[in-house]
Amino acid sequence: MAFISVASAVGQTSGEKPLSPELMLSLARPSTAVLSPNGRLAVFSVSRYSFATNKSIRNLHLLNLADHNTLSDFTAQAPDTNHDNPIWLDDNHVAFLSNGQLHVKAIDSESTSYALTNFPVEISNVKFNTAANLIAFTAAVYEDGSLNGAKDKDDDIKANKKDTALAFDALMVRHWDDFIQDKKNNIFVVKIKKDGDNKFVLDGKEINLLLNSGLESPMIPFGDQNDYDISPDGKEVVFVSKITTPDNAWKTTTHIYTVPTTGGVTPKSINPKEVGAASSPVYSATGNSIAYLQMLEPQYEADRNRIVLYSNGKSRFVAKDWDRSPSAILFDSKDENIFVTSEDQGHTKIFKINLQTETPEVLVNEHSQSGVSLIDDSNLLFSTSSLTTPSDVFTINVRTKVIERRTNIHAESLTNVYLANPEDIWFKGDKDRDIHGFLLKPIGFDPAKKYPLAFVVHGGPQSAFLDNWSTRWNPNVIASAGYVVVFLNPTGSTGYGQALTDAIKNNWG
């Protein structure tokens, strides 16, 4: 096999220090930025690990998009702080999770935050619908479906159970690294209002939308708030859940369900005949449609995600012949276009797809994008990371494709730190397939010298190395240790067409 092309790399400059594991692990880790309703502000959490204290602090940051991208601490970087999952209640108030409960803080004052919820168990995956003043959240509960019941049983187990053993009389037993528990994730809703002191308070009792359904959402082990969505009018929730039949241990089948936010109704599946895995359901901006991702092949976790548009009781595939596997969907305000992220040749790109022409158009081509949200029909907010920088916030004008950096969180921490720019490698692999990967040159590289080679292999095998930042497998740490680093996406990898992904099936060696 011969290299076909190798792009040039930027070598080490004078005075650069290596990217050590300690430095990498202590870098800030920002979450997805969440836009205010008026699109002028964004809030996100940042986690920072300290080797001195052996603890992480997670607090909230406020980004003023309308005022020179001013960035400030919204909540203090104090010991044992863990603020996450911010949501905007209006243009001036942000609610966020702290110790499993929601707190509220105003952005236009120095006032301290106050508690909005005091549920008996911790909640997570919080969303808010302005039209209905509706908070949605998830919590793990037992068969009775109540938060109080979960608290009582947890207390009883803690007081009386003397071991950590689990007993199973049915499959499945474990998914990835999570054992199946008696407690199941359920989706709850509760209304809020303002009291006489102009503070947000709960307006009534929470409702379990999955009560007595036997369904679980979000799904373990990887499920999160992307497993459900609230309709624009706040009257309905769409969610994904795995089948509950006895053969669910060896089937990947998941279905998309809708349920009224008034509760008391059995959720209804909108794709009951599908046998592959479905994911990422979202409502369109008008509420007239639901889009989701659907695999068609049963019992296969690496099948291609197809985009499905469901409206008026009927479903259709969008860009059905597009040989990529998108991972998230976002509608524009008129339901004319969708924006999706998808792996493509070692990058995670943003594509625009017109729902009439169904032709994917790449908007952001380099590095890896995530957390895309709509400022207006001309502008998107998103996060970008690469092999040379952790995540930062950017915007793009979808018409001109002009990209603007909005944050530079890591600039000071990475000043004079060696970060090798990746070189693309292409060569012919098995059966004349085009194989792609990356090469990093070591710190202080001298082309006249020989260096040890670190050949890094990804697992899956149906996954991919991407031009993104990782604190789990960071090739630039290896390059800073003096190695030439090569990491390839061989047969079976994702993002190069489904045929390459499928080619490893039953040929794992």
Side-chain angles (χ1 to χ4, degrees):
M1 295 181 292
F3 291 156
I4 292 178
S5 65
V6 179
S8 62
V10 177
Q12 181 195 11
T13 59
S14 176
E16 285 183 316
K17 59 185 179 181
L19 177 68
S20 66
E22 291 80 9
L23 174 57
M24 180 207 47
L25 291 170
S26 63
L27 291 172
R29 303 186 195 184
S31 71
T32 294
V34 183
L35 274 169
S36 61
N38 60 18
R40 297 173 61 85
L41 303 171
V43 64
F44 55 93
S45 66
V46 177
S47 176
R48 293 174 175 86
Y49 175 74
S50 168
F51 278 88
T53 63
N54 194 28
K55 291 183 178 181
S56 291
I57 292 174
R58 184 187 296 274
N59 73 310
L60 300 182
H61 289 241
L62 189 67
L63 172 63
N64 194 325
L65 297 166
D67 185 17
H68 304 97
N69 301 319
T70 307
L71 186 65
S72 59
D73 281 332
F74 182 58
T75 59
Q77 296 184 37
D80 299 318
T81 297
N82 187 12
H83 299 161
D84 200 9
N85 197 168
I87 55 173
W88 292 87
L89 302 181
D90 55 30
D91 286 322
N92 296 308
H93 294 87
V94 174
F96 59 91
L97 284 177
S98 178
N99 298 318
Q101 301 297 329
L102 274 173
H103 296 251
V104 179
K105 190 176 187 308
I107 65 165
D108 55 0
S109 73
E110 296 299 321
S111 62
T112 58
S113 61
Y114 61 89
L116 173 60
T117 66
N118 186 26
F119 294 123
V121 297
E122 292 188 357
I123 65 173
S124 57
N125 303 308
V126 182
K127 294 189 175 185
F128 179 63
N129 177 269
T130 304
N133 287 322
L134 190 77
I135 296 278
F137 63 90
T138 69
V141 292
Y142 294 96
E143 191 173 358
D144 77 341
S146 72
L147 301 181
N148 285 321
K151 167 67 172 172
D152 292 343
K153 189 163 184 178
D154 284 346
D155 288 346
D156 179 68
I157 290 173
K158 185 177 180 180
N160 299 306
K161 195 172 189 295
K162 306 304 181 184
D163 58 69
T164 59
L166 298 172
F168 296 90
D169 56 11
L171 295 177
M172 59 187 329
V173 171
R174 189 177 72 173
H175 190 175
W176 194 241
D177 60 351
D178 281 21
F179 283 98
I180 306 300
Q181 305 284 343
D182 288 340
K183 294 172 75 174
K184 307 294 182 186
N185 290 327
N186 280 196
I187 301 171
F188 293 78
V189 294
V190 64
K191 295 213 170 191
I192 63 170
K193 63 181 181 180
K194 284 188 176 180
D195 65 8
D197 296 325
N198 207 34
K199 287 187 174 181
F200 288 95
V201 295
L202 299 186
D203 183 17
K205 185 173 174 55
E206 73 279 358
I207 300 171
N208 185 346
L209 301 184
L210 274 60
L211 183 65
N212 299 324
S213 68
L215 301 173
E216 180 175 22
S217 188
M219 302 181 300
I220 66 164
F222 306 118
D224 56 22
Q225 60 197 113
N226 295 316
D227 278 7
Y228 80 96
D229 195 26
I230 311 172
S231 63
D233 60 10
K235 295 181 179 180
E236 189 178 77
V237 162
V238 62
F239 66 94
V240 60
S241 185
K242 188 173 174 65
I243 56 172
T244 59
T245 49
D247 56 358
N248 73 338
W250 56 88
K251 288 190 175 181
T252 58
T253 308
T254 58
H255 292 305
I256 304 295
Y257 297 85
T258 59
V259 62
T261 53
T262 51
V265 176
T266 301
K268 177 184 176 182
S269 174
I270 64 174
N271 64 336
K273 296 181 180 180
E274 297 293 349
V275 293
S279 60
S280 304
V282 293
Y283 285 95
S284 67
T286 65
N288 293 328
S289 301
I290 295 171
Y292 61 93
L293 301 174
Q294 179 73 60
M295 295 183 181
L296 299 182
E297 188 169 346
Q299 298 175 248
Y300 187 36
E301 293 182 313
D303 190 21
R304 177 167 66 89
N305 279 326
R306 281 80 167 176
I307 302 167
V308 180
L309 193 66
Y310 175 85
S311 56
N312 297 320
K314 296 181 180 180
S315 299
R316 70 177 175 94
F317 290 108
V318 175
K320 64 180 180 179
D321 296 325
W322 185 38
D323 196 14
R324 290 297 180 265
S325 187
S327 55
I329 307 171
L330 174 71
F331 282 87
D332 69 7
S333 68
K334 301 181 183 68
D335 294 3
E336 294 175 351
N337 303 283
I338 57 173
F339 305 97
V340 302
T341 54
S342 179
E343 289 182 14
D344 183 40
Q345 296 190 339
H347 305 265
T348 303
K349 303 177 181 180
I350 300 176
F351 295 85
K352 175 184 174 182
I353 303 176
N354 181 277
L355 292 177
Q356 294 297 321
T357 66
E358 300 189 17
T359 301
E361 174 192 359
V362 65
L363 297 179
V364 185
N365 197 46
E366 297 297 324
H367 312 311
S368 290
Q369 280 56 238
S370 62
V372 184
S373 56
L374 191 74
I375 300 175
D376 53 48
D377 283 342
S378 297
N379 296 280
L380 301 177
L381 182 82
F382 60 97
S383 295
T384 294
S385 78
S386 71
L387 285 162
T388 58
T389 179
S391 181
D392 265 305
V393 179
F394 292 77
T395 55
I396 183 173
N397 184 298
V398 300
R399 293 182 171 87
T400 65
K401 298 187 181 179
V402 173
I403 297 173
E404 182 180 350
R405 175 188 281 272
R406 297 298 190 143
T407 65
N408 201 355
I409 298 168
H410 319 282
E412 183 177 347
S413 300
L414 293 176
T415 298
N416 294 325
V417 174
Y418 177 70
L419 291 163
N421 287 325
E423 306 182 15
D424 287 301
I425 300 170
W426 287 93
F427 61 90
K428 290 294 183 180
D430 180 51
K431 297 185 179 179
D432 210 36
R433 297 186 181 100
D434 290 327
I435 301 298
H436 173 244
F438 301 98
L439 179 148
L440 300 184
K441 289 176 179 174
I443 189 168
F445 178 71
D446 182 348
K449 296 181 179 179
K450 290 185 177 181
Y451 293 89
L453 172 69
F455 187 78
V456 188
V457 181
H458 71 64
Q462 290 155 316
S463 61
F465 282 126
L466 303 172
D467 181 12
N468 64 0
W469 188 263
S470 171
T471 54
R472 187 182 182 195
W473 307 106
N474 194 301
N476 250 308
V477 170
I478 306 173
S480 274
Y483 290 83
V484 172
V485 190
V486 172
F487 42 113
L488 305 178
N489 288 324
T491 301
S493 297
T494 53
Y496 300 86
Q498 194 60 33
L500 186 73
T501 303
D502 292 344
I504 199 77
K505 286 175 63 178
N506 302 318
N507 191 21
W508 308 108

